[in-house]
Amino acid sequence: MTVQLWTHCDIATLQAGHAVPYGLIKDGALLVEDGQIAWVGRRSGLPADQAARCTREHNAGGALITPGLIDCHTHIVYAGDRAQEFELRLQGASYENIARAGGGIASTVKATRAASEAELQAQSLKRLQALIAEGVTTLEIKSGYGLAIEHERKALRVARALGRSQPAEVRTTFLGAHAIPPEFAGRPDAYIDEVVRMLPLLHAEGLVDAVDAFCERIAFSAVQTERVFLAAHALGLPVKLHAEQLSDSGGAQLAARYGALSCDHLEWLSDAGAAAMAQAGSVAVLLPGAFYFLRETRLPPVALLREHGVPMAISTDCNPGSSPCSSLLLMLSMACTLFRLTPEEALAGVTRHAANALGLADRGVIAAGKRADFVLWDVAHPAQLAYAFGSNPRLQTVFKGDLV
Ligand code: NIG
Ligand code: FE
């Protein structure tokens, strides 16, 4: 059994309720045992009996250590791309109109259905590797580009396989209610019947950790969304929701009634929606990449979320239509510049609050008893992670106690 000690580092613990910004410990020490953090604090305060147990010592060379980053909302398993739609949008077409005309999500569904499991895996792996290269150690991957059981299964299997093959933990979310597939055109309720039929089958195969839906005028109504939530609850699965992205559909209130882990996007969130989320303890997942790429002008109500004490997470939303981006560090910067989060809020948004958005209590902060997922950065201060956009100062990643 190895007991590893990390020294010559500053540690941004991101612990809740810390007395100093970022929970920063200058000249810290970090003791790791069996893939878990056994002790963290000032190096000068390391108890002699703890130090004596150490079997291997790492000199971090003055690096800043943060928790491993968590990307809590991605759609990285898809085939093809939508660069042509990007051109159309730049010529004036809107995201909604492209979707209504049969493009948008439907075009990615076509490409994803046509791809074999191996092709899908190869294409998605590149996106996962880009995330990992920036210090991501846990991520969520949604289905939702298959929209038929064999293709939803394929995508979820690919997501699970990616997690097994790479030094990052993958949590899978079933997003069968993402769009209406062509064979159900004009029959959304019949498709929801199908979603409700698929879910227990995929769950029985061990492919589902949570359930999501897209509640929006171009997707599913609140009534249809609720049927999906009922099916999830019948299986004991937690829910989350793409809510109030393009309009206020009351999705946040509905999700809150089902104790949602998170509501995501939220540009059109109302006061009542924020209050309901606060009551339910749902995390607000803000997605600056989609806001930027769709050239939205309505900002998510950050002041309202702060006022209600709703925790804010930040994620890439990596997907081919609204956020073809696999840089969580860039999202840190955009959360600050576009949404006016503080760099500390943004960093908590890709660590502690992102863990909460996935229902994972064992990570997201550096504290005794938590998983030893952390990153060494070549920066002098944590704010630099959000400040120097477009750079990647990652030096090393430790995943479950071991150097990657
Ligand atoms: O999170 N809003 C719905 N789903 C994705 C976009 C999907 C797509 O356009 O392919 C999102 O923005
Ligand atoms: Fe999304």
Side-chain angles (χ1 to χ4, degrees):
M1 186 175 67
T2 62
V3 181
Q4 306 189 46
L5 178 65
W6 292 81
T7 58
H8 298 83
C9 53
D10 293 342
I11 303 171
T13 66
L14 272 300
Q15 285 177 21
H18 46 61
V20 288
Y22 304 93
L24 190 66
I25 300 170
K26 301 287 273 180
D27 194 10
L30 189 54
L31 202 67
V32 173
E33 185 173 359
D34 286 342
Q36 283 197 343
I37 294 164
W39 189 90
V40 61
R42 302 256 332 204
R43 183 160 63 106
S44 57
L46 179 67
D49 57 328
Q50 293 278 16
R53 299 190 308 123
C54 164
T55 54
R56 182 160 175 212
E57 206 170 324
H58 303 267
N59 180 333
L64 173 77
I65 293 184
T66 70
L69 304 191
I70 299 175
D71 198 353
C72 64
H73 177 145
T74 89
H75 310 248
I76 65 166
V77 174
Y78 64 83
D81 71 84
R82 307 236 290 276
Q84 273 186 329
E85 262 176 33
F86 178 50
E87 292 183 326
L88 288 177
R89 283 198 297 107
L90 290 173
Q91 287 156 23
S94 75
Y95 180 73
E96 276 193 74
N97 285 341
I98 291 171
R100 287 184 205 287
I105 294 173
S107 68
T108 300
V109 169
K110 204 170 167 194
T112 302
R113 286 181 174 182
S116 70
E117 199 161 319
E119 285 163 351
L120 199 52
Q121 174 132 0
Q123 292 189 32
S124 307
L125 177 62
K126 294 182 196 164
R127 294 183 275 270
L128 176 56
Q129 285 176 333
L131 291 171
I132 290 172
E134 287 193 345
V136 169
T137 51
T138 297
L139 71 153
E140 184 244 25
I141 301 179
K142 301 175 193 295
S143 68
Y145 291 117
L147 309 185
I149 186 138
E150 68 271 33
H151 299 295
E152 288 289 293
R153 178 185 290 121
K154 177 174 69 179
L156 291 167
R157 281 170 51 94
V158 165
R160 282 274 193 254
L162 287 171
R164 282 192 300 270
S165 74
Q166 298 298 307
E169 184 171 324
V170 168
R171 306 290 294 179
T172 56
T173 297
F174 174 62
L175 178 55
H178 193 197
I180 299 158
E183 58 280 15
F184 284 89
R187 297 185 296 133
D189 291 306
Y191 180 60
I192 292 292
D193 291 344
E194 183 58 19
V195 168
V196 165
R197 197 184 68 82
M198 281 189 248
L199 174 57
L201 299 173
L202 296 170
H203 179 53
E205 294 172 35
L207 293 171
V208 182
D209 297 320
V211 176
D212 193 353
F214 187 18
C215 183
E216 191 56 70
R217 54 195 177 201
I218 54 166
F220 299 98
S221 69
V223 173
Q224 289 158 349
T225 300
E226 184 160 15
R227 292 190 53 210
V228 178
F229 285 177
L230 280 168
H233 268 208
L235 297 168
L237 286 168
V239 302
K240 21 183 65 237
L241 188 65
H242 282 71
E244 341 298 17
Q245 179 186 12
L246 308 170
S247 62
D248 178 10
S249 310
Q253 290 94 314
L254 168 66
R257 279 202 277 118
Y258 284 83
L261 289 174
S262 71
C263 296
D264 305 41
H265 286 286
L266 299 176
E267 278 79 352
W268 292 81
L269 180 70
S270 66
D271 198 347
M277 286 178 66
Q279 266 266 302
S282 303
V283 175
V285 179
L286 305 181
L287 304 167
F291 175 89
Y292 162 82
F293 194 65
L294 297 184
R295 305 176 73 228
E296 298 288 355
T297 51
R298 185 172 171 119
L299 289 160
V302 167
L304 187 68
L305 293 166
R306 285 191 188 119
E307 206 177 286
H308 285 281
V310 177
M312 293 178 282
I314 303 296
S315 173
T316 59
D317 193 16
C318 179
N319 76 73
S322 70
S323 189
C325 174
S326 34
S327 171
L328 192 54
L329 288 177
L330 183 56
M331 297 306 117
L332 267 187
S333 165
M334 284 186 175
C336 299
T337 54
L338 299 176
F339 294 170
R340 314 308 291 169
L341 264 64
T342 66
E344 186 181 358
E345 284 175 321
L347 192 55
V350 294
T351 53
R352 186 172 81 244
H353 294 152
N356 291 337
L358 296 177
L360 299 172
D362 64 344
R363 68 197 78 176
V365 297
I366 295 186
K370 301 290 179 185
R371 249 167 71 140
D373 291 351
F374 55 89
V375 185
L376 279 66
W377 305 96
D378 182 16
V379 299
H381 187 275
Q384 288 178 358
L385 294 174
Y387 153 82
F389 68 97
S391 68
N392 179 7
R394 186 186 71 98
L395 296 167
Q396 285 179 314
T397 300
V398 173
F399 177 61
K400 292 189 192 165
D402 294 321
L403 259 175
V404 167

